[in-house]
Amino acid sequence: MKYIFLLAFSVMSLSTMAQQTDTVFLKKLMQAKPEFFSNILNRPDHNQVQILYTQVNRDMKNKPSFKSYSYNLNPQHYFYPASTVKLAAVIFALEKVNRLKSSGITVKSTMITDSAFKGQTKVFKDTSSKNGLPSIEHYIKKILLTSDNDAFNRLFEFIGRAELNEKLKKNGLINSRILNRLAIGDAGENAKHTNPIKFYNGNKLVYSQQAQYDPKEYDLVLTNTIMGKGYLDSADKLVNKPFSLENKNAFPINDQQKLMQKLILPEAFPALERYNLTTADYKLIYTYMSKLPTESNFPKYDETEFWPTYAKMLYYGREKNVELDPNIRIFNKYGDSYGYIIDNSYFIDFKNGVEYFLTAVIQSNDDGIFNDNKYEYETVCYPFMKNLGRSIYEAELKRTKSNKANLTKFKMDYN
């Protein structure tokens, strides 16, 4: 019994050590560039910045290991995660397809969504896909290319709220929850009900899923869920009291990056902790997570609305007229809402053998009013993201590594 206790204590200690990060490096990095970061450093709580940067080191067999650095990291300090939760839905939807493969369902099966509760909507076609029909695969493409909200909502309905949250916990993402659809005012009882869905291969029905109900609440211990001094209500009238983000989705940056690390470098984790994804699944995610909107034909995007670097905040900000380096690819999922900009990324420079994970959040809402669409994205948030990403990249170029990474598995076909 004593031996078991000591062994458990040892494992727990190792786990705790693994979660510890250097809290000095990033602060010094920003202090060295006051022209970019002085406003952030002088008021660290004002913009609610949190950063997690993880170096990847390879052994002689190319197996990766991690070393992490953080700034203001606090999983209990709430920020609204916006679209960053969609990456979890992509992974868990593919896992569900694989679990149901004996039925004949595939990611290419036609997915027909019905309705069974108030506020629910139906989907029978998708004109942005090559065959004009909705599917798991096409929804994933739209999520990863331009963060399509309806595509996420359809995966949310397919997976089901209960399974989504079970999977978060199963994967050790203990400070996270996904409670509702996005951009349709989904909350309360409506969010607990998900639509009936049928899948077809051609005209053959291969899988039918009944409407689901999830009664659970998924409480978390969080701070900072009441914000600002006012907000605009659904009628655009100013309400002079703080804005509540209680009972919303939660996805702290350490959980976001852990999800990303297991997705990008599954070989760094024990086999039992890896996602149940096929080689084709990984290729699908890697391709569309790193693909630019202008490289896509189905769906096809208007470049004035979705320019090449639209989604790549942690290096480009949201600048439009940027010369792209063909050796750089960024695998990421961003989010933007309520004044928050978040980006969760894995960065590669094939030419120089650079790779690293970088996840960050920043908020700017100087007037303290929510839902008024007056946030300092252009002047505060996007420049911060760009400068942070480039500063880390510059540091990585100077970093000495014992073994150069073989990154050929990440060279995708974007044709």
Side-chain angles (χ1 to χ4, degrees):
M1 193 73 180
K2 182 178 180 182
Y3 171 77
I4 294 173
F5 174 79
L6 289 173
L7 179 61
F9 180 79
S10 176
V11 170
M12 188 167 63
S13 298
L14 286 172
S15 175
T16 302
M17 287 172 62
Q19 294 174 6
Q20 291 176 345
T21 61
D22 178 305
T23 59
V24 176
F25 174 81
L26 287 171
K27 187 173 183 178
K28 285 187 174 180
L29 182 80
M30 291 189 287
Q31 286 174 334
K33 297 186 174 184
E35 68 276 22
F36 296 145
F37 302 112
S38 61
N39 288 339
I40 301 299
L41 292 168
N42 291 338
R43 298 192 299 172
D45 297 327
H46 180 74
N47 295 110
Q48 303 187 51
V49 171
Q50 295 188 53
I51 308 168
L52 184 60
Y53 156 54
T54 298
Q55 296 174 347
V56 181
N57 297 298
R58 303 275 183 164
D59 65 14
M60 293 181 68
K61 295 182 179 180
N62 204 47
K63 185 175 180 180
S65 60
F66 305 135
K67 182 175 175 58
S68 295
Y69 303 83
S70 68
Y71 175 79
N72 267 5
L73 183 64
N74 183 351
Q76 277 72 49
H77 184 87
Y78 183 78
F79 64 86
Y80 185 68
S83 294
T84 56
V85 300
K86 295 174 185 176
L87 183 58
V90 166
I91 296 168
F92 300 158
L94 289 171
E95 286 193 315
K96 184 167 183 175
V97 169
N98 292 334
R99 192 176 78 240
L100 299 171
K101 65 181 180 181
S102 62
S103 69
I105 182 177
T106 74
V107 296
K108 296 180 184 294
S109 297
T110 301
M111 178 178 169
I112 302 300
T113 303
D114 208 333
S115 62
F117 194 76
K118 63 180 181 180
Q120 292 183 354
T121 55
K122 304 177 182 182
V123 180
F124 301 110
K125 62 182 180 179
D126 188 334
T127 57
S128 70
S129 69
K130 192 171 184 178
N131 65 359
L133 296 170
S135 67
I136 296 290
E137 180 184 66
H138 196 67
Y139 284 141
I140 286 172
K141 291 177 182 179
K142 294 201 289 185
I143 286 171
L144 297 178
L145 283 165
T146 59
S147 202
D148 188 284
N149 286 316
D150 181 70
F152 163 77
N153 294 344
R154 302 310 168 182
L155 296 192
F156 176 92
E157 292 159 358
F158 168 59
I159 304 163
R161 198 172 88 148
E163 184 170 327
L164 266 169
N165 287 284
E166 287 168 8
K167 285 288 186 72
L168 290 172
K169 298 301 179 283
K170 178 184 175 183
N171 286 282
L173 310 179
I174 60 173
N175 293 298
S176 298
R177 65 187 178 198
I178 301 177
L179 302 181
N180 53 269
R181 303 167 183 85
L182 297 177
I184 60 169
D186 195 33
E189 274 302 294
N190 285 23
K192 296 179 179 182
H193 290 264
T194 48
N195 310 39
I197 305 167
K198 292 182 178 180
F199 288 87
Y200 294 84
N201 290 339
N203 294 321
K204 181 183 178 183
L205 175 67
V206 292
Y207 181 70
S208 180
Q209 177 172 293
Q210 299 301 311
Q212 300 178 67
Y213 177 71
D214 175 31
K216 297 180 182 178
E217 298 295 339
Y218 306 102
D219 293 331
L220 292 171
V221 178
L222 300 169
T223 62
N224 194 50
T225 57
I226 308 296
M227 305 180 191
K229 62 183 182 181
Y231 61 93
L232 298 187
D233 64 15
S234 58
D236 285 338
K237 291 183 178 180
L238 179 62
V239 178
N240 288 305
K241 65 179 183 179
F243 185 59
S244 174
L245 284 161
E246 294 180 313
N247 302 316
K248 298 283 189 182
N249 295 337
F251 200 16
I253 66 169
N254 59 314
D255 280 3
Q256 289 193 29
Q257 192 171 110
K258 183 174 183 180
L259 182 94
M260 181 72 79
Q261 288 173 353
K262 288 174 66 174
L263 174 65
I264 297 293
L265 297 174
E267 64 272 27
F269 296 85
L272 290 175
E273 293 183 15
R274 298 173 193 170
Y275 304 122
N276 179 28
L277 300 178
T278 66
T279 300
D281 294 335
Y282 281 113
K283 184 177 180 181
L284 172 65
I285 297 176
Y286 295 168
T287 299
Y288 285 90
M289 188 188 288
S290 58
K291 197 170 191 175
L292 307 178
T294 48
E295 295 172 321
S296 173
N297 290 317
F298 297 99
K300 186 74 174 177
Y301 294 105
D302 180 348
E303 189 170 340
T304 60
E305 184 178 3
F306 297 108
W307 52 96
T309 59
Y310 175 83
K312 309 303 179 185
M313 309 243 190
L314 273 170
Y315 188 74
Y316 295 109
R318 265 232 169 122
E319 295 182 0
K320 294 183 178 181
N321 300 313
V322 180
E323 184 176 351
L324 299 176
D325 186 333
N327 295 302
I328 289 176
R329 282 286 169 175
I330 303 171
F331 301 69
N332 74 309
K333 186 68 203 76
Y334 77 91
D336 56 347
S337 190
Y338 296 132
Y340 286 103
I341 295 294
I342 316 104
D343 201 356
N344 182 26
S345 70
Y346 170 67
F347 185 102
I348 284 182
D349 176 346
F350 290 105
K351 180 180 178 181
N352 294 294
V354 167
E355 60 172 335
Y356 58 86
F357 294 92
L358 181 59
T359 311
V361 56
I362 182 172
Q363 191 209 37
S364 190
N365 184 16
D366 284 348
D367 66 6
I369 305 298
F370 285 82
N371 283 340
D372 63 354
N373 291 319
K374 295 178 182 177
Y375 307 114
E376 294 73 44
Y377 288 143
E378 299 288 344
T379 56
V380 177
C381 299
Y382 298 148
F384 169 79
M385 286 292 190
K386 173 187 172 180
N387 293 327
L388 176 64
R390 297 202 173 210
S391 297
I392 294 294
Y393 174 60
E394 290 167 9
E396 278 281 341
L397 285 175
K398 299 173 184 176
R399 188 165 75 87
T400 302
K401 300 174 187 175
S402 300
N403 302 287
K404 187 173 181 179
N406 181 346
L407 301 171
T408 53
K409 85 166 188 175
F410 297 109
K411 290 187 176 180
M412 302 291 111
D413 180 4
Y414 299 110
N415 295 322

